[in-house]
Amino acid sequence: MKNIIPLAALMAALFFVGCQKFDGNQDSRLYVYLTDNAIPADEVNVEIQGVKVKYKGTVEPASSTNPGSSEDWVWLDVNEGVYNLLNFTNGRKTLLAVGGVPGANIKEMRFVLGKNNTIKFDGQTYPMTLEVGNEFGYKIDVVKKMGIPRDSITIDFDAALSVIEVGVHQYKLVPHLVVK
């Protein structure tokens, strides 16, 4: 009988936390995973330096002059490095970034890539150049209402659509990023 009271208190606390409504003012942990669509190559190596999220949150109090919403960006903690996209085909994925997002709705994400991008065919590695002018990252449109206390998004970095051969053994990386 003595054990029933603490157990009932714990269950009531869990019920209360589980029934809380997300009002946009609470942080939620966002986990971003990376996956890929296959391409006939030995490797497709992409350097990922950063991931940021644009969110829309609620600001109190709302009035006729203040619609009660704001938009801002937050950088996630990213596992920076060079990723062979072909390691993440056929349903395999890896945790790329995680961080707190204070808004209720995610509107957009941006991947910031480095210059250490290569493709490998038949044991020979070739550099891939990036488009000029994407210092702010490659845009991914996202329409997602965040769940609390955590939520996740999987991004398909489609190598088959992202690698363009522009000459003999000359390749350009034009990232094709899609929310799965």
Side-chain angles (χ1 to χ4, degrees):
M1 185 73 158
K2 293 178 184 177
N3 292 335
I4 292 176
I5 293 173
L7 180 60
L10 176 63
M11 290 178 64
L14 289 173
F15 177 77
F16 175 74
V17 170
C19 293
Q20 286 181 330
K21 190 174 183 182
F22 186 49
D23 65 4
N25 291 324
Q26 300 156 321
D27 275 1
S28 182
R29 292 295 278 173
L30 176 64
Y31 296 81
V32 179
Y33 294 91
L34 180 68
T35 190
D36 176 43
N37 185 16
I39 184 174
D42 299 333
E43 295 178 5
V44 178
N45 298 303
V46 176
E47 182 182 14
I48 299 177
Q49 296 181 334
V51 177
K52 62 182 178 175
V53 175
K54 185 175 189 178
Y55 64 89
K56 183 174 183 177
T58 305
V59 178
E60 297 296 333
S63 66
S64 59
T65 58
N66 176 8
S69 67
S70 68
E71 293 183 355
D72 210 347
W73 289 92
V74 62
W75 284 95
L76 302 181
D77 294 325
V78 68
N79 296 319
E80 291 183 44
V82 177
Y83 289 82
N84 178 1
L85 297 179
L86 301 184
N87 289 336
F88 312 112
T89 60
N90 299 322
R92 292 177 298 195
K93 59 186 178 181
T94 188
L95 180 62
L96 179 64
V98 65
V101 178
N105 297 297
I106 295 177
K107 299 185 66 160
E108 180 181 322
M109 293 178 70
R110 291 202 178 248
F111 272 40
V112 179
L113 302 180
K115 295 180 180 178
N116 191 13
N117 305 297
T118 60
I119 189 164
K120 187 176 187 180
F121 290 107
D122 298 323
Q124 185 67 31
T125 302
Y126 306 97
M128 290 190 294
T129 59
L130 282 171
E131 293 179 285
V132 178
N134 283 297
E135 301 81 29
F136 301 110
Y138 293 88
K139 179 181 175 179
I140 308 164
D141 290 322
V142 179
V143 178
K144 180 160 182 66
K145 183 174 178 102
M146 290 292 294
I148 57 169
R150 63 182 277 169
D151 210 334
S152 66
I153 293 177
T154 299
I155 302 297
D156 181 1
F157 197 129
D158 193 328
L161 296 176
S162 298
V163 176
I164 299 172
E165 188 171 7
V166 293
V168 177
H169 302 300
Q170 295 178 340
Y171 300 91
K172 187 173 188 178
L173 180 62
V174 182
H176 185 81
L177 306 163
V178 178
V179 176
K180 282 210 121 181

